[in-house]
Amino acid sequence: MIKQAVILAGGKGTRLRSRLKDRPKPLVDILGVSLLERQILALKKNSIKKILLLVNYKYEEIVSFCKKNKYWDLDINIKLDEDGKVGTAGALLSSINFLDDIFLVVYGDTLFNIDIERFQKFHNLNKADITLYLHPNDHPYDSDLVEINDQNRVTKFHNYPHNENFFYPNLVNAAFYVINKESIVDINLEIGEFDLAKHLFPKLIYKLKIIGYNSSEYIKDCGTPERLDKCEFDLKNGLVENSSLKLKQKAVFIDRDGTINFENGFISSPKQIKLYNFVASSIFNLKKEGFLVFLITNQPVVARGECSIETLNQIHWKIEKSLSKSKTFFDKIYYCPHHPDSGFPGEVKYLKIKCNCRKPENGMIEKAIKEYNIDREKSWFIGDSTADLAASFKSKVKSILVKTGNAGRDNKYNYKPNYVSENLEEASKLIINRQQ
Ligand SMILES: [Zn+2]
């Protein structure tokens, strides 16, 4: 288990001046408890034993605050980052001798509640050098975005500002990392390089195995008065506490073609995707009720060679872009690229298999259940075909058949829905009403 966390808390907090009342930035008050103490307690709860705290501005005050709290019975080493101009990369690399073989990096202005054991398991499983905690958010258009491949490997960084004409993945770097010391020990920063996310990681993706971990747990920057207010609001509403994947989550799984978009033959280009007008508001309302929302879709067009993975990504990023305009998102998109029947011209041989993810099988639902610690009893599937009903039955989640798209008329599999609704909007209302 990972034992050490480094907190990069060197910032002056200029943007938070009105709330700081002369305190150093890490001691900004959030509902009666300082941000630093909240961070330390969230780490301690997750088995972190050692903290290296890199501070700059008002160092003495931070030291006396930690002393007053008896260092929360942890091994806390507070280091003065003498030159405040070296940035996050400089601060981290200049502390290399104080770091364990594997450690966590936390930014000093984030409020979080993350299951670190789960995060590290993913890091180990993927044999990563560095793993970045990523998540979709409700404002990807002004966020720095990260692209990962189907092996979770980070392949590109798309920094803000973005080209309005392109589609991008809604995956935001939350500034929370697991790093193997060995992988960064020999790095010398060049002039002008000072930021981990902006300068160092984009350069290292070619040299190191940098992996993206996509999660739904709470982490938000509270470095401005507006963001601080949002964090306080989320704390009061239990959003921070309930988001940890140590706790069971409730979910709604949603099918794609015919359920969120007009059925249009086999869709093989972003141009062919047209969402129903009630999709964004339905997802928004489900998320407001605390449901995680996943897209679960069979895309045999990939195996048949009619659509590449890159184009399929473009199609999904177009959907994400459209949802982001209504400030909502899918927590994750799961797709099955396989198809069992061979003999199509141009087909992709290695995807021509009988897999366990293609609905009516339930591999995609099971994967989500495992990755997000989903409570089956509180979860639902909304789809328009009998394959959706079969998959949800196998995973023991309640099903709703919608009358859009196929409307269950495919009659391929003999499974009955728990409920029938006009469309996704009615189905989401039913779910919200049924749970009360
Ligand atoms: Zn599959």
Side-chain angles (χ1 to χ4, degrees), residues 7 13 15 43 68 99 127 139-140 168 180 195 216 238 241 291 293 296 369 418:
I7 303 180
R15 292 179 303 170
L43 293 167
K68 202 177 82 194
L99 299 172
K127 298 190 168 53
H139 56 98
Y168 301 96
N180 294 351
D195 192 76
S216 58
E241 184 164 350
F291 285 97
V293 181
I296 304 279
I369 286 178
N418 294 102

Side-chain angles (χ1 to χ4, degrees), residues 336-338 355 357-358:
C336 163
H338 308 113
C355 62
C357 45
R358 179 173 162 81

Side-chain angles (χ1 to χ4, degrees), residues 98-115:
F98 299 90
L99 299 172
D100 283 0
D101 289 343
I102 181 165
F103 58 92
L104 195 70
V105 174
V106 178
Y107 279 45
D109 51 9
T110 53
L111 179 70
F112 58 86
N113 187 15
I114 292 172
D115 179 353

Side-chain angles (χ1 to χ4, degrees), residues 30-46:
I30 304 185
L31 299 178
V33 181
S34 73
L35 176 57
L36 178 65
E37 182 162 10
R38 287 187 183 277
Q39 290 191 321
I40 289 172
L41 294 177
L43 293 167
K44 186 178 175 181
K45 198 172 75 180
N46 279 280

Side-chain angles (χ1 to χ4, degrees), residues 2 57 73 92 139 164 174 210 246 253 313 397 426 436:
I2 199 161
Y57 187 63
D73 285 327
L92 187 69
H139 56 98
E164 181 48 37
I210 303 188
K246 283 188 171 180
F253 304 99
N313 284 337
V397 300
E426 296 305 318
Q436 282 153 0

Side-chain angles (χ1 to χ4, degrees), residues 298 335-339 353-359 364:
N298 286 354
Y335 63 84
C336 163
H338 308 113
H339 192 259
I353 55 164
K354 195 171 169 354
C355 62
N356 67 3
C357 45
R358 179 173 162 81
K359 297 175 285 185
M364 289 187 277

Side-chain angles (χ1 to χ4, degrees), residues 242-303:
N242 295 334
S243 77
S244 167
L245 292 186
K246 283 188 171 180
L247 305 176
K248 287 267 184 207
Q249 306 290 315
K250 52 184 184 179
V252 179
F253 304 99
I254 302 178
D255 166 58
R256 199 187 88 181
D257 303 327
T259 304
I260 66 163
N261 55 281
F262 289 89
E263 196 83 63
N264 186 6
F266 285 116
I267 291 174
S268 57
S269 137
K271 274 186 265 171
Q272 294 166 291
I273 273 279
K274 191 166 183 298
L275 297 185
Y276 295 124
N277 62 12
F278 45 74
V279 172
S281 58
S282 303
I283 295 172
F284 183 91
N285 291 334
L286 287 168
K287 293 192 70 61
K288 207 168 113 196
E289 292 294 321
F291 285 97
L292 299 180
V293 181
F294 300 103
L295 190 69
I296 304 279
T297 177
N298 286 354
Q299 290 303 325
V301 281
V302 182

Side-chain angles (χ1 to χ4, degrees), residues 85-248:
K85 289 183 189 125
V86 295
T88 50
L92 187 69
L93 292 178
S94 67
S95 311
I96 202 98
N97 295 333
F98 299 90
L99 299 172
D100 283 0
D101 289 343
I102 181 165
F103 58 92
L104 195 70
V105 174
V106 178
Y107 279 45
D109 51 9
T110 53
L111 179 70
F112 58 86
N113 187 15
I114 292 172
D115 179 353
I116 293 165
E117 194 180 341
R118 184 180 280 268
F119 185 24
Q120 193 196 350
K121 260 190 200 157
F122 187 85
H123 172 84
N124 294 347
L125 192 75
N126 283 280
K127 298 190 168 53
D129 295 310
I130 297 173
T131 302
L132 317 183
Y133 181 102
L134 308 175
H135 59 175
N137 75 7
D138 60 11
H139 56 98
Y141 35 83
D142 60 8
S143 302
D144 291 337
L145 303 171
V146 179
E147 191 173 328
I148 56 175
N149 66 16
D150 54 0
Q151 308 292 315
N152 302 307
R153 191 156 179 167
V154 174
T155 54
K156 265 185 204 141
F157 289 86
H158 301 281
N159 287 339
Y160 171 78
H162 306 296
N163 185 329
E164 181 48 37
N165 300 316
F166 293 168
F167 303 125
Y168 301 96
N170 183 352
L171 260 188
V172 179
N173 179 359
F176 198 86
Y177 317 125
V178 175
I179 299 182
N180 294 351
K181 180 163 87 170
E182 194 187 22
S183 69
I184 59 161
V185 78
D186 292 327
I187 290 172
N188 290 309
L189 289 176
E190 283 166 33
I191 292 166
E193 294 177 341
F194 51 85
D195 192 76
L196 284 172
K198 279 201 161 59
H199 306 122
L200 201 56
F201 294 157
K203 200 167 85 170
L204 292 178
I205 50 174
Y206 305 104
K207 216 170 100 183
L208 299 177
K209 194 169 183 190
I210 303 188
I211 291 289
Y213 173 67
N214 185 3
S215 181
S216 58
E217 296 167 293
Y218 194 93
I219 176 161
K220 271 201 174 92
D221 163 4
C222 37
T224 67
E226 298 74 32
R227 291 183 193 154
L228 199 60
D229 289 344
K230 179 79 177 80
C231 287
E232 292 198 333
F233 180 83
D234 293 343
L235 267 171
K236 279 188 205 154
N237 286 291
L239 218 63
V240 184
E241 184 164 350
N242 295 334
S243 77
S244 167
L245 292 186
K246 283 188 171 180
L247 305 176
K248 287 267 184 207

